[in-house]
Amino acid sequence: MGLLAGFAADRMAGDPRRGHPVAMFGSAAAATEQAWYRDSRAAGAGYAAALIGGVVLVGAVVESAGARRRAGTVAVTAAATWIALGGTTLAETGREMADRLGAQNLDRARELLPALCGRDPEVLDADGLARAAVESIAENTSDATVAPLLWGALAGVPGLLGYRAINTLDAMVGYRDERYRNFGWAAARTDDIANLLPARLSGILTAALAPVVGGTPADTWRAWRRDAGRHPSPNAGVAESTMAGALGVRLGGRTEYRHGTEMRPVLGDGPAPVSADLRGAVRLSVAVQCAAAGVGAAIACGVVRRGR
């Protein structure tokens, strides 16, 4: 009940406009980094363990306090779910990006891209912006919705908040540039581990729901099997290849970040994505999110019954 209520809150209201707990955690993490930073994996591991462990502990205390009454358990789980999810804001941003690309307003599209991913928008044309947005929608469908719901189903409030802390730290320090190659290593590897199961659940749901955008489960599965392993990320490869297979587009290739350029493997078959494909990616993302909420609730019921 709490997972479904929190998912409904995200669908209706999106992210809190002010005082978002994730933003507050990010500010605390940034301040801690200033004091803790050393160019070593050990320092980065201690940094990640302290912050993630602290959030998990807070989640356990909150859940324990709410467990005194059933209504309290539902309320704290719903609140934690709403905090941890970001699917509605992701979809809204994707639609807005498609509108700006469809209107050929590249300057405004470039202004919006940082809300989706960390690529350098100034060097991207319309096709590059569309591809970056589709890839971001694919990866963040797993990261921002499927993963929190799965960890919430398996581990309750500590799972929800702990996962969001892991994912936030990866977004802050999990880079391969000179500053974070060592310090951010532990945060990035922890995020990889935390997303192993969610990414594959997201891939399964994407394949099953491919007809929503005119695709087929067979084509989606084929792209997953053939292309996902080529991606440098064990999880993003699954999300992006299945999205490419469902939409019938080609993702990957030259990828421009602020810290440099990476040559990503080609995922899927077909033309490069355009604004219409981005709209399709958003529709498929929303469908996967709704299905993940149902799967998460079913898993949570099983966990509760087994515990009893």
Side-chain angles (χ1 to χ4, degrees), residues 128-145:
L129 290 166
R131 192 199 110 200
V134 169
E135 290 175 353
S136 179
I137 293 292
E139 183 175 359
N140 284 297
T141 297
S142 177
D143 290 357
T145 302

Side-chain angles (χ1 to χ4, degrees), residues 81-275:
T81 303
W82 185 30
I83 289 169
L85 295 179
T88 295
T89 298
L90 174 69
E92 290 174 349
T93 306
R95 292 189 192 100
E96 178 63 23
M97 176 63 82
D99 289 342
R100 296 183 184 188
L101 288 174
Q104 301 294 314
N105 195 331
L106 297 190
D107 289 338
R108 293 192 67 216
R110 291 187 180 105
E111 290 174 1
L112 186 61
L113 187 66
L116 287 170
C117 60
R119 300 183 193 180
D120 186 356
E122 299 305 320
V123 301
L124 298 178
D125 58 11
D127 288 347
L129 290 166
R131 192 199 110 200
V134 169
E135 290 175 353
S136 179
I137 293 292
E139 183 175 359
N140 284 297
T141 297
S142 177
D143 290 357
T145 302
V146 178
L149 287 168
L150 182 57
W151 279 108
L154 294 172
V157 175
L160 283 159
L161 300 185
Y163 171 78
R164 182 46 64 201
I166 290 169
N167 192 244
T168 301
L169 286 184
D170 178 61
M172 294 178 65
V173 304
Y175 298 104
R176 299 178 182 178
D177 59 9
E178 184 175 352
R179 176 176 174 83
Y180 292 120
R181 184 175 294 109
N182 291 318
F183 186 78
W185 177 85
R189 297 292 77 76
T190 303
D191 184 76
D192 285 345
I193 294 169
N195 278 294
L196 281 173
L197 286 177
R200 279 137 192 87
L201 174 58
S202 183
I204 291 169
L205 295 176
T206 300
L209 294 167
V212 169
V213 290
T216 67
D219 288 341
T220 308
W221 175 247
R222 187 180 303 111
W224 181 353
R225 291 186 60 191
R226 185 190 63 198
D227 300 335
R230 303 174 185 174
H231 199 284
S233 166
N235 303 315
V238 174
E240 293 179 18
S241 64
T242 52
M243 182 65 79
L247 294 174
V249 299
R250 182 182 69 254
L251 301 177
R254 184 182 180 89
T255 305
E256 301 279 357
Y257 293 97
R258 295 189 184 279
H259 62 266
T261 301
E262 296 182 16
M263 290 302 300
R264 293 290 177 85
V266 174
L267 308 174
D269 300 304
V274 295
S275 60

